[in-house]
Amino acid sequence: MASPPPSPSSSIAKGGDGIITTLHPDIIRALILTRLDGPDLASTACVSSYLRSLSTEENLWRDICCSKWPSLDHPRLKQVISTFPSGHRSFFSESFPFPNLQPPKPNARRSLALATELISAVDIYYHGNPIYSKVVEMETSSSWFLSTPFRLNLLGVDNPAPRSPIKYGSSNDDTWLKHLEENLSLSWIFVDPTREKAVNMSSKRAVSVERHWLTGDVQVRYGRVMEGDEGWGSSRELVACGVVVTCGEKGEGEEMHVREVCMRMEDMDGKGVNGVESLVILERVMGSGRSWKGKGEKEKYEEFMAKKRERKERNTRKDRVLDLICIFSIFAACGAFWWFILPMLSSLLIKFV
């Protein structure tokens, strides 16, 4: 008597290759794997050894990465990504998940050799469609870079982004700002070509959207809040890596376009973090783990801003106390002069007279 065919569950239990191998590999590649995004393709590779061999092919991950980040279609980035251990698959695993930010370890700065070059791959999307891409190569070993505040400007007011129209969809300003918060997104990936590491420093969604008080331009802010390299109560208890995308009106207010993109790192006093400290932070983030959950970014930013305001108020109170002490010291000195020095001078004048 013939034995019954193995059930799908028993095939999966043995590795999942029993049924799927009946399909031709070209069919799986063309009709299944090419339709998956990065997370789904990574999950497929975990099903069986056979699917893993098909799901880890370089051309699949190259197409996914270039579709996700158009800025990767750059000669230098193509060359750098080819040196990663698994090519574009390694790059995706570094850049797509969110960095699992951890508090710095003691003496972490001393144990890090700072990067001598960083490459920024920047993409801006509206309704999920790319409207601007840019690649910037930075030499980070110069004394000027290491000593000055870390700041990158990709665009200027006189050099707006091409092909980036954003059509007005509502006459209500609050509704329009909310629309931009939900539909304008950013990816800013730092690549260290020497260590073959990468990290996306942009938040998944905007953490704040507001109009500039003077120009009326819309400023959409993205970023991450990280543990600084100093303890509680210091100005670098927390550090924010923020990107501001400025959108200005074009024509008679029928559409907007991206006018400026600026990244900077700042501490809780609002001061820019210099190049050395910024490199230490970036290297630490690149070396941290990754998480598929990117929730809480806006809440962390709002917490950072609240602590920043509290620190400013606390410093203001300290300054007022110091001012009062200085004023009291001046009055005390004047009183001492009038009570002690002036009588002595008067007695001396009387003697001479």
Side-chain angles (χ1 to χ4, degrees):
M1 182 175 181
S3 59
S7 64
S9 59
S10 63
S11 298
I12 293 175
K14 294 179 181 180
D17 291 342
I19 298 176
I20 198 68
T21 52
T22 60
L23 293 175
H24 195 280
D26 291 341
I27 296 178
I28 298 176
R29 292 190 189 97
L31 300 181
I32 301 177
L33 299 183
T34 57
R35 300 174 182 270
L36 302 179
D37 59 11
D40 290 338
L41 187 61
S43 299
T44 303
C46 299
V47 173
S48 71
S49 58
Y50 179 68
L51 284 178
R52 178 175 177 80
S53 65
L54 297 178
S55 302
T56 55
E57 293 182 358
E58 172 66 8
N59 63 320
L60 289 173
W61 288 101
R62 182 179 60 250
D63 293 343
I64 286 175
C65 287
C66 292
S67 175
K68 176 68 177 177
W69 302 295
S71 59
L72 299 188
D73 190 25
H74 187 277
R76 180 69 200 286
L77 279 177
K78 289 180 180 179
Q79 182 272 324
V80 170
I81 295 175
S82 67
T83 65
F84 278 49
S86 299
H88 283 81
R89 185 163 65 93
S90 294
F91 181 85
F92 187 90
S93 66
E94 294 274 346
S95 305
F96 184 82
F98 298 91
N100 187 16
L101 305 177
Q102 300 293 336
K105 297 179 181 179
N107 299 324
R109 177 176 175 178
R110 298 178 183 176
S111 63
L112 289 174
L114 300 182
T116 58
E117 181 186 14
L118 285 176
I119 303 175
S120 294
V122 184
D123 296 283
I124 301 176
Y125 312 85
Y126 181 59
H127 282 304
N129 300 314
I131 60 175
Y132 176 74
S133 298
K134 182 75 172 181
V135 174
V136 179
E137 300 177 54
M138 298 181 297
E139 191 271 319
T140 59
S141 60
S142 66
S143 58
W144 177 86
F145 177 88
L146 296 175
S147 59
T148 56
F150 183 86
R151 183 184 179 95
L152 292 173
N153 290 303
L154 299 189
L155 295 168
V157 176
D158 298 328
N159 183 29
R163 296 178 289 104
S164 62
I166 302 172
K167 300 291 185 180
Y168 272 108
S170 173
S171 57
N172 184 283
D173 195 61
D174 292 338
T175 303
W176 172 243
L177 296 181
K178 185 66 175 179
H179 171 81
L180 287 179
E181 178 182 348
E182 296 175 349
N183 295 282
L184 191 68
S185 56
L186 170 77
S187 169
W188 190 308
I189 301 174
F190 279 108
V191 183
D192 185 342
T194 303
R195 293 177 177 80
E196 300 168 0
K197 303 289 288 183
V199 67
N200 197 332
M201 292 302 293
S202 173
S203 52
K204 186 175 182 180
R205 291 181 56 181
V207 295
S208 70
V209 182
E210 59 187 5
R211 284 193 179 272
H212 191 273
W213 66 273
L214 180 61
T215 64
D217 291 341
V218 177
Q219 294 182 326
V220 187
R221 183 180 295 272
Y222 307 84
R224 298 194 181 280
V225 177
M226 301 156 288
E227 298 282 346
D229 55 357
E230 297 181 4
W232 181 87
S234 67
S235 62
R236 281 204 288 270
E237 175 189 351
L238 296 174
V239 175
C241 179
V243 182
V244 177
V245 178
T246 303
C247 301
E249 295 183 358
K250 185 176 181 181
E252 299 180 356
E254 297 179 356
E255 64 181 30
M256 304 187 79
H257 64 144
V258 177
R259 301 183 63 186
E260 187 175 6
V261 183
C262 177
M263 168 181 275
R264 70 186 295 260
M265 287 194 185
E266 64 175 355
D267 60 18
M268 296 183 67
D269 285 338
K271 297 179 181 178
V273 180
N274 64 28
V276 174
E277 301 297 341
S278 298
L279 288 178
V280 170
I281 293 171
L282 285 175
E283 291 297 331
R284 175 162 54 86
V285 174
M286 285 184 179
S288 65
R290 297 293 186 268
S291 172
W292 293 98
K293 297 180 180 180
K295 298 180 180 179
E297 296 164 326
K298 186 173 182 179
E299 290 76 11
K300 289 181 180 178
Y301 175 77
E302 292 174 347
E303 179 184 356
F304 172 81
M305 295 301 296
K307 289 186 175 182
K308 185 177 176 181
R309 287 190 295 268
E310 291 175 3
R311 181 176 176 82
K312 183 177 180 180
E313 293 172 358
R314 187 165 59 247
N315 290 337
T316 300
R317 288 195 297 268
K318 289 181 179 179
D319 291 340
R320 289 175 180 173
V321 172
L322 290 175
D323 290 341
L324 290 175
I325 293 174
C326 290
I327 293 173
F328 177 79
S329 300
I330 293 173
F331 277 106
C334 292
F337 177 80
W338 284 103
W339 284 100
F340 298 102
I341 304 299
L342 191 59
M344 292 176 61
L345 292 177
S346 300
S347 62
L348 290 174
L349 288 174
I350 292 172
K351 288 181 181 180
F352 281 109
V353 172

